[in-house]
Amino acid sequence: KIFRNTLKYLQSNEFLLDVDLWRLFANLEELNKISISFLKTFFETVKEHVSKSDSPMDFSSILLKFFQGDLCQTHQIYCLNYTSAVFYLENLRQREDFCIYLKQWCEQNKECKRLHLRELLVAPLHRLTRYPLLLNNIWEKSTDETEKSLIWSLKEKVERSIRDLEGKVKWLDNFQKFRQLQEVIIWPQVWDRDKRFFVPECLKQSLRENNSENLLSSANRLLLHEGRLTLAESTRLLDVYLFLFDDFLLITKIKRNKKKYGGSDTGFIPVCTSLTPELQSFIREGGFCTVLDQPIPLDRLILKNIDPIHITGMCPCASEYLQKCIGYRQSVAIFLLQAQTETAKKTWMSQIEMAIANYTMQQKNKESTAFFFPAESTEI
């Protein structure tokens, strides 16, 4: 209430008018009303039972009213907004005026008990997960079989609601991450990537329209591992950032260009909090990842370990070797990558090997399914 009402007060005095209350607090006001109503009704029933010891304690009607009503649904709405609220909050924290509002107007209030807004915003998520525990405790103490059956069914309903919510939150988190990656990863045109190709101007427009930027828009694709490595070229060492997805590996070159990001010079760069801290920091500095080579499908990737002592003129870092093949096992590219530590190298190698194994297994399952369930003939 302190953070929300203070922001309302400041906006009524024409400060922080561009800050969106809903994006930060969602339906928190409605959630508070329903939660307080549930607690009051709950404790009034307990109080009545204590004052009249002969009267039975009827929890059934209260639990039915709230748990079959709006209590869980209101929590779900808030929880689904939580990830984007934290994302929005972290972006706002880059602003001086918003930090003044947080630190001087709110956090110094004794009622906040030195808690920050992000720590308070997560409280309703914890509340929702405690409801099954509450229902289970009531179920254990209940003596009436009909009431026990009702309470148990409500507990299962709330647990299903939480499981369903977890799936939705993971999907939204993944969607937010991939949307950020689409903005950060730059896909150069083929004539920029390889100077050997001559492309007439009349063809460039049609090639631009068939770009690869939407490759990361698939909601089903997963990012398994990512991080910074060093790529050994013939004359230099190049800083690269690798993205290992569940179906391909993407090698990008680290580049800094503040003006290109969103075309803004304000320095206010939105960064998804589900990205790695290293990538978040890199993006805030105005960083980009330019695709170095086309994505490498995992079924066209060969991974080998190389002892650095066998590589002349390179620093003694842990090394790994990637070989990209096309059909008929013909090698079309080789990437010699170095990790800063032996641990990082082993992590990368295990992640890639596991991804290749899983992808190969999925492809085999698809082939076996297609064998047993052939597609309908086009002649029918």
Side-chain angles (χ1 to χ4, degrees):
K1 281 185 178 180
I2 290 166
F3 284 91
R4 190 179 68 245
N5 293 343
T6 302
L7 183 56
K8 282 183 177 180
Y9 171 77
L10 289 171
Q11 289 185 339
S12 69
N13 287 275
E14 299 188 354
F15 294 102
L16 299 173
L17 291 174
D18 59 330
V19 176
D20 191 332
L21 268 167
W22 171 265
R23 288 183 69 184
L24 267 183
F25 302 105
N27 62 332
L28 190 57
E29 206 158 354
E30 179 191 7
L31 182 59
N32 280 339
K33 288 178 182 177
I34 291 175
S35 297
I36 290 169
S37 177
F38 169 62
L39 289 170
K40 283 183 176 178
T41 311
F42 188 87
F43 284 117
E44 279 171 6
T45 304
V46 175
K47 187 178 178 181
E48 185 178 348
H49 173 75
V50 171
S51 60
K52 300 176 182 177
S53 56
D54 57 333
S55 65
M57 194 181 299
D58 180 25
F59 281 124
S60 304
S61 57
I62 303 167
L63 298 176
L64 276 171
K65 177 184 175 183
F66 287 96
F67 285 104
Q68 287 192 342
D70 296 334
L71 188 63
C72 288
Q73 185 181 359
T74 311
H75 270 87
Q76 275 213 351
I77 293 169
Y78 178 85
C79 294
L80 285 171
N81 186 73
Y82 171 75
T83 301
S84 59
V86 172
F87 173 60
Y88 186 51
L89 173 63
E90 290 304 308
N91 294 331
L92 290 171
R93 283 169 59 85
Q94 308 301 315
R95 292 170 41 172
E96 185 180 357
D97 57 349
F98 191 81
C99 283
I100 292 171
Y101 146 73
L102 287 178
K103 295 175 182 177
Q104 297 184 18
W105 284 76
C106 300
E107 290 173 4
Q108 291 184 9
N109 192 307
K110 291 180 181 179
E111 290 184 48
C112 287
K113 298 177 182 177
R114 297 182 180 179
L115 291 173
H116 301 290
L117 180 56
R118 181 168 180 169
E119 297 166 321
L120 295 168
L121 286 174
V122 77
L125 278 72
H126 296 159
R127 174 75 63 82
L128 181 59
T129 58
R130 290 193 188 107
Y131 282 137
L133 300 176
L134 171 68
L135 291 167
N136 191 67
N137 287 338
I138 297 172
W139 176 81
E140 287 180 348
K141 301 293 188 295
S142 179
T143 54
D144 183 85
E145 289 302 319
T146 306
E147 187 179 64
K148 282 178 79 77
S149 176
L150 170 67
I151 294 168
W152 186 261
S153 65
L154 287 174
K155 184 180 85 75
E156 289 184 327
K157 179 179 182 294
V158 177
E159 287 174 341
R160 282 196 304 272
S161 175
I162 292 171
R163 286 195 297 270
D164 180 49
L165 177 65
E166 286 173 349
K168 290 176 181 176
V169 169
K170 285 179 181 177
W171 186 92
L172 282 171
D173 188 53
N174 196 52
F175 174 78
Q176 188 77 45
K177 181 190 292 185
F178 273 70
R179 190 169 67 174
Q180 178 89 78
L181 289 176
Q182 276 185 280
E183 296 176 3
V184 172
I185 296 174
I186 305 297
W187 299 80
Q189 299 296 337
V190 63
W191 55 87
D192 292 327
R193 194 172 63 238
D194 196 329
K195 300 300 180 183
R196 294 176 302 168
F197 298 113
F198 170 71
V199 182
E201 289 296 327
C202 59
L203 291 178
K204 285 187 176 181
Q205 184 56 38
S206 62
L207 289 170
R208 285 192 184 98
E209 291 172 358
N210 297 322
N211 56 34
S212 305
E213 291 178 3
N214 295 326
L215 189 65
L216 301 181
S217 61
S218 172
N220 298 321
R221 182 167 285 115
L222 295 174
L223 178 60
L224 305 177
H225 195 59
E226 60 179 291
R228 191 189 297 239
L229 292 172
T230 302
L231 174 66
E233 294 189 332
S234 57
T235 57
R236 59 174 180 167
L237 296 175
L238 186 68
D239 279 339
V240 292
Y241 201 93
L242 269 64
F243 298 92
L244 176 63
F245 297 95
D246 58 348
D247 56 347
F248 66 83
L249 178 71
L250 189 64
I251 303 176
T252 66
K253 181 170 58 176
I254 293 172
K255 185 179 179 182
R256 287 173 174 80
N257 188 346
K258 289 186 179 181
K259 289 186 178 179
K260 219 170 186 180
Y261 193 102
S264 174
D265 296 323
T266 59
F268 179 65
I269 300 175
V271 180
C272 179
T273 53
S274 61
L275 297 174
T276 62
E278 182 183 22
L279 192 57
Q280 286 184 49
S281 174
F282 176 62
I283 294 169
R284 288 197 179 99
E285 292 170 2
F288 283 88
C289 297
T290 304
V291 176
L292 193 66
D293 196 79
Q294 59 182 309
I296 310 174
L298 295 183
D299 59 347
R300 294 290 184 267
L301 180 64
I302 298 172
L303 176 67
K304 293 183 180 179
N305 181 29
I306 298 179
D307 195 322
I309 63 172
H310 297 303
I311 307 169
T312 308
M314 292 186 66
C315 58
C317 300
S319 301
E320 54 186 310
Y321 161 83
L322 294 177
Q323 180 180 350
K324 185 173 74 171
C325 303
I326 59 172
Y328 308 104
R329 309 300 289 177
Q330 181 186 1
S331 298
V332 294
I334 292 174
F335 303 94
L336 186 63
L337 298 162
Q338 292 180 298
Q340 295 301 315
T341 64
E342 184 70 24
T343 303
K345 169 196 164 183
K346 288 180 178 177
T347 301
W348 267 108
M349 292 197 69
S350 64
Q351 289 284 346
I352 293 174
E353 287 168 352
M354 194 185 306
I356 292 172
N358 290 337
Y359 183 74
T360 304
M361 182 69 70
Q362 288 175 7
Q363 295 303 110
K364 285 182 179 178
N365 291 338
K366 285 180 182 179
E367 288 174 6
S368 62
T369 305
F371 177 77
F372 288 110
F373 300 99
E376 186 177 284
S377 170
T378 55
E379 295 178 356
I380 298 175

